[in-house]
Amino acid sequence: MRLADLYGKPIHDAAGERLGVVHEVRSRDGQVETLDYGPGSLRERFAGKRGGGRIRWDQVRSVTAKRILIDRP
C-alpha cells in the first residue's frame, strides 16, 4: 500500500457510520501514525487551524479499495 492510497478514502467505524474522508496522513520514521479526516482537517491542512478528527493508525482494522474501517475509541 502507498500513502497516496489513503488520501480521499472514507473512514467508517465498526457500526458502519461514515466519519469523514482522509485529508492528511501523518507519519514518523516511515511509519503511519495518524489519519486526519473531516472538513476541519482540510481547513487545518490549508489554513493551519486545528480541526477535524484524528485517528491513530493502531485503531485501523482494515483498508479496502472503498473504505477504511476503524475501531472507534
Side-chain angles (χ1 to χ4, degrees), residues 49-69:
K49 296 180 180 179
R50 178 73 178 112
R54 184 170 286 166
I55 296 293
R56 294 184 329 268
W57 185 249
D58 65 0
Q59 293 175 277
V60 174
R61 293 297 156 232
S62 66
V63 178
T64 67
K66 293 187 178 188
R67 71 181 185 167
I68 296 169
L69 180 63

Side-chain angles (χ1 to χ4, degrees), residues 2 5 7 9 11 17 22 24-25 27 30 35 38-39 50 55-56 69:
R2 298 175 0 181
D5 296 334
Y7 287 99
K9 196 168 294 257
I11 297 176
E17 180 182 348
V22 175
E24 192 68 54
V25 178
S27 65
L35 303 175
R50 178 73 178 112
I55 296 293
R56 294 184 329 268
L69 180 63

Side-chain angles (χ1 to χ4, degrees), residues 29-49:
D29 298 326
Q31 300 291 316
V32 173
E33 290 191 335
T34 61
L35 303 175
D36 293 357
Y37 65 92
S41 69
L42 187 60
R43 188 171 45 251
E44 177 180 358
R45 183 175 185 187
F46 293 110
K49 296 180 180 179

